[in-house]
Amino acid sequence: MENPIRWTTVWVVASWYGSNIGILLLNKYLLTGFGFKYPVFLTLCHMVACASLSYVAIGLARVVPLQAIKSRSQLGRLAALSVVFCYSVVCGNVSLRYIPVSFNQAIGATTPFFTAVFAYLMIQKREAWATYAALVPVVVGVVIASGAEPSFHLLGFIMCVVATAARAFKSVLQSILLSSDQGENLNSMNLLLYMAPIAVAFLVPATMLMEKDALEFTIDIAKKDLKIVWYLLFNSSLAYFVNLTNFLVTQHTSALTLQVLGNAKGAVAVVVSILIFKNPISFIGMLGYAITIFGVVLYGEVKKRYS
């Protein structure tokens, strides 16, 4: 009876890696190599797919039980999370237009630093001094990597930092808004089911205002080459499967295993992106990224010891 469970876990983890790394690389290709310069519209496509596939998975296939929204205040909290979520994804996509995936992942690895900062500022959550000390190499590594990055771009760097901070802010905000004692907690799949349509409602006017020629451009390209349609459909579907596989990995592994896998995933994404896009790298830059990863691992170990 052990083998089916073991192989299911392997398949789930492999799918999680594939969807996470796949969407990152495909986003980069669309926004640079393919010339699709519409990160807000791309995010809108992602959210439309997440809304549609969430309904299929929960409303029709019953992958997980449907959890109802129980109050107007809960809906308001979901709307707030959706705005922050959209902002983080859009900024992340904008950053990929200007900086390589490897540098993007190095900056993204600083999420624990921003999470600790927001947790302190928003809920006065204090960690042990050793926990904060473990965050020093996380930041130092990115500083080193930034200074030695051959493809450094200021706007791309800023957008990536903002996206990383927004993801951390969302995680803290989510713990505050949805960890109530009123039975209003939602699992991640139901959370996406409700957040995605709200995100679409925000992104439609944002796209019309900021990228009003995006749809016309896509239609014109599609008339000449249908590949853009298939790229967008596959890319948008991957956006949903990132969330689905993350939920499944959480179910099939422990929190510690998930943390270790997450750290390794960033390193794998860096190696794969360098092999595919062949962006220039430097020894100092890779050393900086290695220091950041070391800091993230150290932070996890120290936090586990003092929690």
Side-chain angles (χ1 to χ4, degrees), residues 34-213:
F34 200 84
F36 187 83
K37 300 178 180 180
Y38 302 100
V40 179
F41 180 66
L42 182 62
T43 307
L44 173 60
C45 293
H46 290 177
M47 292 301 102
V48 169
C50 285
S52 304
L53 293 175
S54 290
Y55 175 75
V56 172
I58 299 176
L60 301 179
R62 306 291 182 184
V63 173
V64 294
L66 176 65
Q67 296 174 289
I69 295 179
K70 297 183 178 181
S71 68
R72 187 172 297 178
S73 62
Q74 185 184 19
L75 180 60
R77 294 194 291 270
L78 288 171
L81 283 174
S82 297
V83 173
V84 178
F85 179 52
C86 284
Y87 189 69
S88 68
V89 176
V90 168
C91 290
N93 286 338
V94 170
S95 74
L96 286 173
R97 284 190 58 189
Y98 302 104
I99 62 175
V101 173
S102 53
F103 190 34
N104 175 281
Q105 289 296 284
I107 299 170
T110 61
T111 301
F113 168 77
F114 289 105
T115 302
V117 170
F118 285 125
Y120 178 78
L121 293 177
M122 296 168 66
I123 56 178
Q124 285 75 54
K125 181 180 179 181
R126 291 177 172 82
E127 304 284 357
W129 68 269
T131 305
Y132 291 119
L135 288 170
V136 173
V138 173
V139 178
V140 170
V142 169
V143 171
I144 294 173
S146 300
E149 174 56 47
S151 304
F152 182 85
H153 190 285
L154 182 59
L155 178 59
F157 172 76
I158 292 173
M159 287 294 101
C160 195
V161 171
V162 171
T164 303
R167 282 195 298 270
F169 180 75
K170 174 186 171 291
S171 67
V172 176
L173 187 64
Q174 183 173 325
S175 68
I176 297 172
L177 298 182
L178 298 180
S179 298
S180 64
D181 297 325
Q182 303 172 358
E184 294 184 347
N185 292 345
L186 298 173
N187 61 45
S188 60
M189 296 299 294
N190 276 272
L191 187 62
L192 184 65
L193 174 68
Y194 293 115
M195 283 177 54
I198 299 173
V200 170
F202 282 106
L203 286 167
V204 167
T207 301
M208 294 174 65
L209 181 65
M210 301 170 63
E211 300 175 350
K212 55 186 177 181
D213 59 334

Side-chain angles (χ1 to χ4, degrees), residues 290-305:
I291 292 173
T292 294
I293 292 298
F294 168 75
V296 172
V297 173
L298 181 62
Y299 171 78
E301 290 298 318
V302 173
K303 189 173 175 64
K304 182 177 64 174
R305 178 175 300 179

Side-chain angles (χ1 to χ4, degrees), residues 219-247:
I219 294 174
D220 289 341
I221 293 294
K223 289 178 180 178
K224 303 172 186 176
D225 188 354
L226 272 176
K227 281 193 298 186
I228 184 63
V229 176
W230 296 113
Y231 282 149
L232 287 175
L233 285 174
F234 182 59
N235 181 263
S236 300
S237 299
L238 277 179
Y240 173 73
F241 284 105
V242 165
N243 293 276
L244 175 62
T245 54
N246 185 72
F247 176 77

